[in-house]
Amino acid sequence: MPQFTVQLNVNGPASAVWALLTDDAFLEDLYRNRLQYVQWSVTARRTAPEGDLIREVALIPPMNAPAPIRKLLGSGFRETEESRFDPQQLTWTWRRIPSTMADKIKEEGRVRVEEAADGGSRLIAETTIECKVFGVGGLMESTAEKHSRHDWETLGEALSRRLAEGAS
């Protein structure tokens, strides 16, 4: 079960990073136009009594995976992402539920954003991926990790770019 952490330096304060991470329009643009997801749409969004933002998103990721994985997941593969932003603890937790083999595939994580000494911030994304599929579980985990790392890096670039645009 791969667990990994990605740390990204972002050119902007943590409060501005959180504002973008909770901005549905920014994230939809990121997923649809930069990450080439077929679908990224908010299906539910509410504020819990304690102030947490709870969001559910329907996703259809690009199928840039080896043929055995594409065949196993099927042409109609999609995911639901359930996430919760806690403004008191400044953490965002999430999990993705696949449309295929949800009892065998787990992808979840936690995000924090810390202020950096240079006036920017550091986004820390901790991710766990587990695929209990005989024969291809390891391949599925390594492929998912590769895609996840790419998505986090692209997010970091998009955050820095957007924050730089806002500063000018």
Side-chain angles (χ1 to χ4, degrees):
M1 170 172 40
Q3 295 178 320
F4 60 94
T5 301
V6 174
Q7 294 188 29
L8 306 168
N9 294 319
V10 180
N11 297 325
S15 60
V17 172
W18 282 121
L20 288 173
L21 290 175
T22 57
D23 180 335
D24 296 341
F26 171 78
L27 291 175
E28 181 174 12
D29 178 63
L30 170 77
Y31 278 91
R32 297 290 303 262
N33 298 317
R34 294 180 191 255
L35 297 172
Q36 302 303 307
Y37 275 58
V38 175
Q39 179 184 10
W40 188 98
S41 58
V42 175
T43 56
R45 181 184 173 106
R46 66 183 177 85
T47 302
E50 64 275 10
D52 291 10
L53 169 64
I54 299 169
R55 181 172 54 202
E56 185 175 292
V57 176
L59 305 149
I60 300 177
M63 289 303 285
N64 303 330
I69 294 174
R70 288 194 316 266
K71 182 176 180 179
L72 189 63
L73 295 177
S75 62
F77 182 76
R78 50 190 331 108
E79 297 175 301
T80 300
E81 182 178 276
E82 297 174 346
S83 65
R84 181 180 208 107
F85 171 64
D86 179 339
Q88 307 304 318
Q89 298 295 315
L90 294 176
T91 58
W92 172 35
T93 54
W94 58 272
R95 73 181 186 125
R96 288 195 176 173
I97 303 158
S99 61
T100 306
M101 297 184 297
D103 60 330
K104 298 185 181 306
I105 300 171
K106 176 173 103 172
E107 186 176 2
E108 61 188 20
R110 184 176 92 135
V111 176
R112 298 183 324 253
V113 181
E114 301 173 347
E115 298 289 348
D118 63 2
S121 54
R122 178 172 293 112
L123 184 144
I124 302 155
E126 301 163 343
T127 303
T128 300
I129 299 169
E130 182 177 19
C131 299
K132 297 179 183 177
V133 181
F134 181 76
V136 294
L139 177 61
M140 291 177 78
E141 289 173 350
S142 64
T143 300
E145 179 178 347
K146 176 183 168 189
H147 290 293
S148 182
R149 286 181 182 277
H150 171 264
D151 289 358
W152 286 119
E153 292 293 333
T154 303
L155 170 65
E157 293 165 7
L159 287 167
S160 287
R161 185 175 298 119
R162 179 70 174 274
L163 293 169
E165 289 170 1
S168 52

